[in-house]
Amino acid sequence: MALTINNISVAFGDKTILNKLSLPAITAGEMVAIIGKNGAGKSTLLRHITQYLNQYSQQILLHNKPLSLDNIGYLPQDHRISATITVVELLITTLNMGSHSLFAKANSAEKSLLLLQQMGILHLANKICTELSGGESQMVGLAQAVVNQPKVLILDEPTSALDMHNQMKLLDFVKLYAQQNQACVLMVIHDLNLAIQYSTKVAALHQGQLFDYGAPITTITPALIAAVFDVDAHVAIIDERPIVVVKSSGTIESISA
C-alpha cells in the first residue's frame, strides 16, 4: 500500500503557493516530515489533502485508488476542542458517527479508554474538552484522529503546543501507530532534530516546490538548511545520529534600546 501525491497546484489570487508539487510514493508504515520556511506551502498542502479531495481524485491516491476521507485521520494546526463533553465521550461520539447500536456504543467506550491508556493520557478521560490545556488538546486531538484507525494520518505541527516530554510521547505513539497499522503518516514539523529522530523520509519544500526528498540523515545537511531556511547551521553526529546546531540567521544586526 502506498500514498501518492502528484501535481498539486494552489494559488491565491496572483500568488502561487504550490507549483505542480509531487511527492515520491509514501509506503505503509512510513513517517514523512514536511519541512520548510513559513509560507513554503506545507500547511496548504495538508489542508488541500484533507479538505479538497474531490478536486484531486486522480492526483491523491491510496493503493492506486482515490483517497477518501474515511481513510484519513487529521490533526490540524493549533487544535482546540470546543465541545462541552468529556474526552472519552468525544472519542465515543467520533467512533459512532452514524451508528445507533447500543452494543457498538458500549464497545466504543472500551476502545476509547484503551486508546487513551495506550497514549498515556487515561487521566484525561473524564475531563471536559473545553477545560483542556493547549498541550492536552493536542494529545486528545491525536486520539480523535486515530480512533477509527485510518490508513493515512495527516498532522499539521503536532508538537507545537507540547513540552519536550510530551513531544516525544506524541511522536513515539505516532511511530508505533504507523508501524502497527501499516499507516502512511504525513506531518509538518519545524524542529529539524525531531524530524531526524522520528521520520523515515523528509520532504523539504521551498517556494511551493519540492526542494529535496530522502532519508533525514542524508537530506538534512548544512547546505539544505542554508538554501531552504537561510540559516547558517552545523550538523554534528552524536551517538551516530545527526543533530542540527544553528549558528545564526544572520538577519538581525543590532537592536536599539
Side-chain angles (χ1 to χ4, degrees):
M1 184 185 72
L3 173 68
T4 56
I5 299 169
N6 295 309
N7 199 29
I8 304 297
S9 294
V10 178
F12 298 122
D14 295 332
K15 185 176 182 180
T16 299
I17 307 300
L18 296 174
N19 185 13
K20 298 180 180 179
L21 178 70
S22 298
L23 297 180
I26 302 167
T27 59
E30 278 197 317
M31 292 176 64
V32 176
I34 304 176
I35 62 173
K37 290 179 77 171
N38 293 339
K42 305 182 301 297
S43 294
T44 298
L45 173 62
L46 298 196
R47 281 196 300 272
H48 276 69
I49 292 173
T50 56
Q51 297 176 18
Y52 300 99
L53 274 180
N54 290 338
Q55 296 181 21
Y56 304 107
S57 60
Q58 299 306 312
Q59 294 159 268
I60 303 176
L61 306 175
L62 181 65
H63 199 44
N64 297 319
K65 296 179 180 179
L67 177 63
S68 69
L69 285 175
D70 291 340
N71 281 319
I72 297 176
Y74 178 45
L75 179 61
Q77 187 178 355
D78 299 324
H79 182 65
R80 296 307 293 255
I81 304 167
S82 59
T84 54
I85 56 177
T86 66
V87 167
V88 71
E89 288 171 338
L90 175 73
L91 297 183
I92 291 170
T93 301
T94 304
L95 272 167
N96 288 291
M97 292 291 188
S99 173
H100 300 287
S101 166
L102 292 177
F103 174 78
K105 290 181 180 180
N107 196 36
S108 295
E110 184 179 345
K111 285 183 178 180
S112 298
L113 291 170
L114 178 60
L115 174 60
L116 293 173
Q117 183 178 34
Q118 291 171 337
M119 293 183 64
I121 54 172
L122 184 59
H123 61 285
L124 298 178
N126 293 314
K127 193 166 184 177
I128 301 297
C129 292
T130 52
E131 297 175 0
L132 297 170
S133 69
E136 289 171 341
S137 289
Q138 205 80 345
M139 294 294 291
V140 171
L142 176 62
Q144 191 178 13
V146 303
V147 71
N148 281 307
Q149 296 183 307
K151 287 299 183 182
V152 176
L153 195 54
I154 306 292
L155 311 175
D156 194 354
E157 297 187 37
T159 60
S160 61
L162 302 177
D163 58 40
M164 185 182 296
H165 172 78
N166 283 301
Q167 286 179 350
M168 296 180 70
K169 183 163 77 171
L170 182 144
L171 291 174
D172 281 339
F173 176 80
V174 171
K175 184 176 182 178
L176 183 63
Y177 177 87
Q179 293 171 346
Q180 291 186 342
N181 292 275
Q182 288 296 282
C184 305
V185 179
L186 197 58
M187 62 179 180
V188 168
I189 196 162
H190 283 294
D191 189 323
L192 297 185
N193 287 315
L194 288 178
I196 290 169
Q197 184 172 352
Y198 285 98
S199 64
T200 51
K201 296 289 193 307
V202 169
L205 301 193
H206 185 55
Q207 297 179 348
Q209 295 182 311
L210 182 64
F211 182 86
D212 202 358
Y213 186 93
I217 194 169
T218 56
T219 303
I220 298 178
T221 63
L224 178 136
I225 295 169
V228 171
F229 296 96
D230 194 24
V231 167
D232 186 14
H234 174 65
V235 179
I237 304 298
I238 300 176
D239 294 333
E240 300 182 356
R241 179 188 300 162
I243 302 293
V244 176
V245 181
V246 175
K247 297 178 182 178
S248 170
S249 67
T251 58
I252 299 177
E253 296 180 0
S254 64
I255 299 176
S256 301

